[in-house]
Amino acid sequence: MPALTRAQKILAAVAVLIVALFVTGVVTQDGEVTMADPRDNALVRMLDGWFGDPDPVDPADLAAPCLADGVLVVETSCVLTVAAADSDLREVELTPDGALHLSTRAPHDDTVLDRDLAAGESVRVAVDDQGVDITLTCDNCAITLGGSDG
């Protein structure tokens, strides 16, 4: 049998890791036959602690002409600027009180992302280390800013 190439060795290691994670997941089910919520699994909770949500954007990194006391008051359109930072990926949570159209750049890409939100619908906008401008368009709405930890 010929020796494995480097790529084959990496694939074999990944396969072993997947099997090990599956077995660990089954073992850590706390004796339950079925789990209603996968977040109840001890392994999932541990991995979430290691690789969970990105950090929220620091409020000091946010600027907009319509920003006052953590709320964006938009009459027709407003641009929320998120400053560049050392963190590779951050999130800013937006919750409008009226219908909203959001347009921004995808993290680590030049693709323009557009999204329409209903009143009360929250969205988390991912921001890379370069920062980004988020264009918000609505008719007389208030948008509450939040982060991924509340």
Side-chain angles (χ1 to χ4, degrees), residues 32-130:
E32 295 180 23
V33 177
T34 61
M35 286 193 320
D37 186 353
R39 291 171 292 188
D40 290 339
N41 183 287
L43 175 65
V44 172
R45 287 192 307 267
M46 179 187 70
L47 290 175
D48 183 51
W50 290 352
F51 306 105
D53 291 335
D55 291 331
V57 170
D58 185 343
D61 290 342
L62 300 173
C66 60
L67 177 61
D69 298 324
V71 177
L72 298 159
V73 180
V74 181
E75 290 184 23
T76 54
S77 181
C78 186
V79 176
L80 174 64
T81 300
V82 182
D86 292 334
S87 182
D88 180 52
L89 196 63
R90 304 166 287 158
E91 287 183 337
V92 60
E93 185 173 342
L94 305 170
T95 307
D97 68 356
L100 172 72
H101 179 78
L102 177 145
S103 181
T104 189
R105 176 184 57 82
H108 306 293
D109 199 344
D110 291 329
T111 304
V112 175
L113 303 174
D114 288 301
R115 172 119 185 235
D116 290 316
L117 299 172
E121 181 182 358
S122 293
V123 65
R124 291 180 180 173
V125 180
V127 179
D128 60 23
D129 59 341
Q130 300 300 308

Side-chain angles (χ1 to χ4, degrees), residues 1-10 12:
M1 182 167 150
L4 295 175
T5 66
R6 180 172 187 208
Q8 290 171 329
K9 290 177 184 176
I10 291 172

